[in-house]
């Protein structure tokens, strides 16, 4: 699919982005307003996250020791799946209404537009998951020592998931049903985040320090923050040219 000339096929959300201009903060504000209008996209990942975790104690048994032992891994796996559930829609709406092509034609680097979209994705998916972590810890009989590392690891880790997932979302944006392919592309890249995120909580529960795990997550976040928008922008241009 080739690039369209400016002004062609601009509807709905594309008009909003075209009207406010190409600045990063104006794009950020527009993306936030558009995200707040898509109620289902906001609620579905959170609903999936909370519902599945609420059913886990019923499936594996109500034993407090068992729940405590499984809590770090289960919470992190569900956070990963909830993020993956919303990742497909990251660029989908913009691709379908033509605004993604208009962003690619702007003189400014696509890096800033992609960064704005990733940041909004984290604000409406990853941040709420981190804020819900005390409630989830209570459901799984998590000791008080695990609450702080759980919240911090989810704050850092979900941001990493949004950044890494943007690359797969950009590569598959032109496909009709990219769900399985998207999962196959980005799931291996999610594994280090999952290991160190759940490891931070487990280390705290075992009475050890967890600063090393959080430091690794922060390093992954720094690297992903610098490189993922560049890779996603290049992937978007490749997808638009075919």
């Amino acid at each position: 699919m080739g690039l369209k000339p400016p002004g062609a096929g601009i509807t709905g959300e594309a008009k909003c982005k075209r009207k406010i201009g190409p600045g990063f903060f104006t794009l950020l504000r527009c993306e936030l307003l558009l995200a707040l209008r898509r109620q289902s996209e906001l609620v579905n990942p959170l609903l999936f996250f909370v519902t599945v975790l609420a059913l886990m104690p019923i499936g594996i048994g109500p034993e407090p020791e068992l729940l405590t032992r499984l809590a770090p891994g289960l919470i992190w796996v569900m956070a990963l799946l909830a993020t993956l559930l919303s990742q497909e829609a990251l660029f989908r709406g913009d691709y379908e209404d033509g605004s993604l092509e208009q962003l690619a034609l702007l003189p400014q680097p696509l890096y800033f537009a992609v960064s704005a979209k990733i940041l909004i994705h984290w604000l409406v998916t990853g941040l709420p998951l981190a804020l819900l972590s005390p409630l989830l810890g209570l459901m799984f009989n998590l000791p008080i020592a695990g609450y702080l590392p759980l919240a911090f690891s989810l704050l850092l880790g979900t941001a990493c998931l949004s950044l890494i997932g943007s690359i797969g979302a950009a590569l598959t944006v032109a496909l009709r049903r990219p769900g399985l392919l998207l999962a196959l592309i980005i799931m291996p890249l999610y594994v280090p985040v999952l290991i160190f995120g759940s490891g931070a909580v487990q280390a705290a529960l075992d009475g050890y320090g967890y600063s090393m795990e959080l430091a690794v997550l922060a390093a992954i976040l720094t690297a992903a923050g610098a490189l993922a928008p560049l890779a996603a922008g290049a992937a978007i241009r490749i997808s638009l040219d075919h």
Side-chain angles (χ1 to χ4, degrees):
M1 180 178 180
L3 297 178
K4 297 178 182 177
I10 303 178
T11 59
E13 299 176 7
K15 291 182 179 179
C16 175
K17 296 185 180 69
R18 192 71 172 176
K19 181 179 179 181
I20 62 174
F24 175 77
F25 291 105
T26 51
L27 279 172
L28 195 66
R29 182 180 62 184
C30 183
E31 290 293 342
L32 181 59
L33 291 174
L34 294 174
L36 293 176
R37 293 176 187 173
R38 304 169 187 153
Q39 298 294 330
S40 61
E41 293 182 13
L42 293 176
V43 174
N44 286 345
L46 291 175
L47 188 61
F48 169 82
F49 184 60
V50 174
T51 302
V52 174
L53 285 177
L55 293 175
M56 282 294 179
I58 300 175
I60 64 179
E63 292 82 1
E65 293 183 1
L66 179 61
L67 291 176
T68 301
R69 188 166 66 251
L70 296 178
L74 286 176
I75 292 174
W76 255 98
V77 168
M78 290 303 107
L80 186 152
L81 293 177
T83 304
L84 183 62
L85 184 66
S86 62
Q87 205 77 61
E88 182 181 333
L90 183 58
F91 303 113
R92 173 66 55 183
D94 300 290
Y95 176 79
E96 291 177 348
D97 69 13
S99 59
L100 192 61
E101 297 183 17
Q102 301 305 314
L103 289 174
L105 289 170
L106 293 175
Q108 287 78 11
L110 195 55
Y111 178 95
F112 299 106
V114 171
S115 298
K117 293 189 69 62
I118 295 172
L119 178 57
I120 295 302
H121 178 267
W122 176 76
L123 287 176
V124 300
T125 56
L127 182 59
L129 297 184
L131 296 178
L132 284 173
S133 58
L135 174 62
L136 301 173
L138 184 63
M139 291 168 53
F140 279 83
N141 195 42
L142 194 69
I144 296 178
Y147 281 66
L148 196 60
L150 178 62
F152 276 128
S153 65
L154 283 175
L155 278 174
L156 294 172
T158 52
C160 295
L161 297 180
S162 293
L163 285 161
I164 296 171
S166 68
I167 302 173
L171 284 170
T172 59
V173 70
L175 303 179
R176 287 190 176 182
R177 297 180 180 177
L180 180 59
L181 181 58
L182 176 60
L184 290 174
I185 291 173
I186 63 176
M187 194 65 75
L189 302 176
Y190 279 172
V191 172
V193 181
L194 176 64
I195 291 173
F196 288 103
S198 59
V201 184
Q202 192 61 56
L205 296 180
D206 293 338
Y208 301 108
Y210 53 88
S211 58
M212 187 272 288
E213 286 83 359
L214 294 183
V216 173
L217 285 177
I220 295 174
L221 177 59
T222 302
L227 300 177
L230 287 173
I236 286 173
R237 294 188 185 279
I238 293 172
S239 297
L240 292 175
D241 286 337
H242 289 80

